[in-house]
Every structure is written in C-alpha cells, then in structure tokens.
C-alpha cells in the first residue's frame, strides 16, 4: 500500500511540474483526486481492508491526498500569475510620447549665450540679469529718452499699462546695475527683449540681446575698441577686426555702430558708445569723475550669422531637424 501511494504521488508530482496551462493542471487533478481519480479509488478501497490495517493505510492515503492538494494549489497559483503576466505583457500600452528617437539638447541660442557670457566673465565681467517686465523709467527715461523723444517710436513697444511694458532693450540692465553697484563696474546683462514687429526674415517680436557696461575712472573709446576687437577675434576668427561707424543712441555719446570683418566682408554686430553724461548723472554717478562704455548686441543675430541661419524665424519654430544639428 505504502509503495503504491509513493509511486502514485511521485508520478503525480512529475506530471504537475510538466503542466503548462491551468487547464492541463485541472485535468490532471481530476484524474488523480477527482470523483473517479486514482487516489480517490485508493481511498474508497480502504473499506475493504482488514480492520487492523485500515487506520495506518487511511492515514497514509489521507496524508498523500493533502500533500497532493497542496502541490496542485501551488502549481495553479504559479500558472495563474504567469498567465496573467503574459496577458499583461501582450496588452502593454506605451503611454510615452515618441521622442523621435533622440535625447534633447540645448538650443543654439542658449549655447551661444553661454559661450559669450563665458568669454566676458573670463575678462572680469559679472553677469547681471534684469527684469523682462519693466517700467517706463528703466526702458526710456533713465536711458535719456524722455516722454516726447522720437526714439520711442523706433522701438514700438508692448505696453502693459501706461507705465509698465515689456522691455525693448537690455539697456535697462545698465540702469539697474548702476543702481545696485558703485563704480568701478563691469557687467553684462543678457536676456529676451520685445518689440511689436511683424515676424519676417530679419524680425521676430521677441529676441535676445546682451548688454555690456564698463564704468571706471578714465574709461575711453579705446577700451571699447579693445574689448570688441577681442570679441570679434574670438567669435569671427583670428583675423577679424572691428570697424566703428558713427551712429546715434540717446544713452551714449558718441555712439557707434560696430561691424566685424569675416571672410565674406563686414557684418554689423552691435550698437555701442560712451555712456551719456546724463545717464551717469541720473544714476547718481558723477560724470566728471567717471566715464564708461556700453554696448548691446543681438544674440540671435550673432548666433544666426555664425551658424549661417538665413531666416530669423527658424530658431523659434521648434523644428527638431534644425535643433538637432547643435546637440
Ligand atoms: N540698446 C541698443 C539697441 O537695442 C543697443 C545699444 C546698447 C547701443 C548699448 C549703445 C549702447 O539697439
């Protein structure tokens, strides 16, 4: 009897291990433990046994049955979770957006801004960002552009209220720097500016500028020239030189338009000049003691020149085919 049970149990365990589906397992279980199952038959046969053997045999059969029940239950649970997993895997939905198969990268404008900031900080300039939403005072008044000044027309500005506007130039950063720091000072102020221009190949209503301001005793036009010459060599090639053309800005006197030479000729890169005495005075700096120069370059313009981007709108279009080239 004991022998018979062991053979049956061992055989059954092997078969359980071989079952690959819950259904096969169920069929096996019925064959062994079901109403007409092999073990059930042994259990039924107990009643024909001699009285003295029956209790031991009964104990053995029942133990075997319980052991097999446990085996079946464990195997059923394992199969069920495997089947569930397979089902879930098959139904898996990818909810992530297709990134186009690439990692993002910094925008060419950001890269250029960083390069230019690094260039100036290496020469002792401090980066001073200033607000994009400004008051009339910082954008115009303090820059020597009084209420009726025609220069307000040129930079048709986005006004929020009569006195609050989106800055049209980073020159606002000059005033804020002079308010916070006493000379000698040497700062750059990069960031977005806004003008109500219709977008075309050379205009976008928002673009980035980078302002520079140096104030100390004895600062002269030659200091401006030296600083910008170094800039031109760094960004337009070792043989690049700068050319100053007379110009006009209310906040500088004299004022210049600056061109840099590159392989293909002269390209206009920025406006600059010696800080107007009125501007220094309004910011509480004595123009008889201190002098300074200021410049303001279009970061978009510089970036587009260097990368030969022909249309000013392209960098704002978020076209991955364009952006990917700078990663
Ligand atoms: N703010 C001027 C512009 O936007 C540029 C400039 C800056 C000119 C500093 C002179 C000095 O056109």
């Amino acid at each position: 009897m004991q022998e018979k049970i062991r053979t049956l149990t061992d055989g059954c365990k092997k078969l359980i291990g071989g079952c690959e589906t819950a259904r096969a397992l169920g069929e096996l279980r019925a064959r062994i433990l079901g109403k007409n199952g092999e073990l059930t038959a042994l259990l039924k046969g107990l009643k024909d046994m001699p009285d003295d053997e029956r209790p031991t045999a009964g104990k053995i059969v029942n133990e075997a049955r319980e052991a097999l029940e446990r085996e079946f239950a464990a195997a059923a649970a394992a199969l069920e979770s495997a089947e569930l997993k397979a089902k879930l895997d098959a139904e898996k939905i990818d909810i992530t957006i297709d990134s186009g198969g690439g990692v993002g990268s910094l925008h060419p404008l950001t890269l250029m801004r960083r390069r230019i900031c690094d260039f100036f900080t290496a020469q002792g300039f401090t980066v001073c960002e200033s607000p994009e939403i400004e008051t009339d005072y910082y954008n115009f008044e303090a820059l020597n552009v009084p209420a009726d000044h025609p220069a307000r027309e040129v930079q048709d500005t986005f006004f929020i209220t009569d006195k609050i506007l989106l800055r049209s130039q980073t020159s606002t950063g000059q005033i804020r720097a002079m308010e916070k720091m006493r000379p000698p000072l040497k700062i750059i102020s990069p960031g977005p500016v806004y003008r109500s221009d219709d977008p075309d190949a050379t205009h976008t209503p928002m673009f980035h500028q980078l302002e520079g301001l140096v104030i100390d005793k004895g600062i002269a036009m030659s200091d401006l020239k030296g600083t910008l010459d170094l800039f031109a060599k760094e960004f337009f090639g070792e043989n690049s030189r700068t050319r100053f053309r007379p110009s006009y800005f209310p906040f500088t006197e004299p004022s210049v338009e600056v061109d840099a030479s590159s392989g293909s000729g002269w390209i206009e890169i920025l406006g600059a000049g010696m800080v107007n005495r009125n501007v220094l005075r309004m910011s509480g700096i004595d123009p008889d003691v201190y002098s300074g120069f200021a410049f303001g370059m279009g970061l978009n313009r510089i970036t587009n020149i260097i990368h030969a981007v022909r249309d000013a709108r392209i960098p704002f279009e978020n076209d991955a085919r364009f952006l990917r080239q700078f990663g």
Side-chain angles (χ1 to χ4, degrees):
M1 181 73 180
Q2 212 159 351
E3 202 45 48
K4 227 171 158 179
I5 296 275
R6 163 125 14 89
T7 319
L8 180 71
T9 314
D10 289 352
C12 182
K13 281 182 185 167
K14 273 207 197 87
L15 289 173
I16 290 174
C19 285
E20 280 172 7
T21 62
R23 190 190 162 131
L25 190 71
E27 281 167 5
L28 178 65
R29 188 178 177 287
R31 223 175 77 203
I32 309 292
L33 300 172
K35 227 195 300 175
N36 301 312
E38 290 174 38
L39 196 78
T40 316
L42 288 179
L43 211 59
K44 280 181 187 159
L46 287 175
K47 66 178 190 309
D48 304 325
M49 291 190 115
D51 283 352
D52 57 337
E53 283 177 26
R54 197 184 299 128
T56 330
K59 193 166 169 255
I60 293 170
V61 180
N62 272 315
E63 276 172 5
R65 201 183 60 154
E66 278 164 23
L68 284 181
E69 288 284 17
R70 280 197 298 273
E71 293 276 336
F72 274 112
L79 278 176
E80 208 175 293
S81 68
E83 278 173 19
L84 183 65
K85 184 177 180 305
K87 192 170 165 223
L88 288 178
D89 282 349
E91 284 176 359
K92 203 188 256 165
I93 300 164
D94 184 1
I95 56 161
T96 56
I97 282 179
D98 179 6
S99 67
V103 187
S105 60
L106 290 173
H107 193 278
L109 199 62
T110 306
L111 293 168
M112 191 58 71
R113 169 176 161 159
R114 289 189 181 180
R115 246 186 88 194
I116 296 180
C117 284
D118 284 350
F119 169 81
F120 282 109
T121 50
Q123 294 180 54
F125 285 78
T126 305
V127 181
C128 293
E129 289 184 70
S130 84
E132 288 171 47
I133 300 174
E134 268 296 8
T135 61
D136 182 273
Y137 175 77
Y138 289 96
N139 201 77
F140 294 122
E141 282 293 330
L143 286 163
N144 205 27
V145 186
D148 53 356
H149 198 286
R152 290 190 180 219
E153 293 287 317
V154 182
Q155 298 180 350
D156 212 356
T157 312
F158 290 113
F159 281 92
I160 294 166
T161 68
D162 268 4
K163 292 281 163 206
I164 298 173
L165 46 88
L166 296 181
R167 67 173 176 195
S168 61
Q169 48 187 352
T170 47
S171 301
T172 52
Q174 292 186 35
I175 309 302
R176 292 203 171 260
M178 286 189 279
E179 264 182 4
K180 271 194 225 96
M181 301 174 234
R182 292 291 87 195
L185 64 89
K186 213 172 162 183
I187 63 107
I188 50 171
S189 189
V193 300
Y194 302 83
R195 294 180 192 179
S196 53
D197 287 325
D198 287 329
D200 63 27
T202 53
H203 295 89
T204 53
M206 186 276 277
F207 60 99
H208 293 247
Q209 284 189 331
L210 186 140
E211 196 83 6
L213 175 70
V214 173
I215 295 180
D216 202 350
K217 291 177 180 155
I219 296 292
M221 198 87 167
S222 53
D223 296 308
L224 173 64
K225 177 85 174 162
T227 302
L228 296 179
D229 273 349
L230 270 183
F231 176 80
K233 286 189 200 323
E234 176 72 19
F235 288 88
F236 296 99
E238 244 190 285
N239 297 319
S240 182
R241 294 185 301 122
T242 59
R243 176 171 81 173
F244 283 16
R245 284 180 288 110
S247 186
Y248 171 77
F249 298 103
F251 35 90
T252 45
E253 179 62 36
S255 301
V256 289
E257 212 82 60
V258 180
D259 303 334
S261 66
S262 76
S264 51
W266 293 102
I267 24 179
E268 187 187 321
I269 56 167
L270 54 84
M274 299 307 292
V275 181
N276 190 301
R277 291 171 62 88
N278 286 342
V279 172
L280 291 176
R281 207 177 289 120
M282 274 188 276
S283 292
I285 294 171
D286 185 348
D288 291 328
V289 178
Y290 290 102
S291 57
F293 68 73
F295 59 85
M297 64 176 80
L299 274 179
N300 289 70
R301 193 177 152 71
I302 305 271
T303 308
N304 292 347
I305 291 169
I306 288 175
H307 294 307
V309 178
R310 283 196 188 82
D311 191 314
R313 291 165 290 192
I314 294 174
F316 292 112
E317 283 169 355
N318 274 341
D319 187 332
R321 291 167 304 180
F322 171 77
L323 297 172
R324 214 176 272 139
Q325 299 176 57
F326 305 92

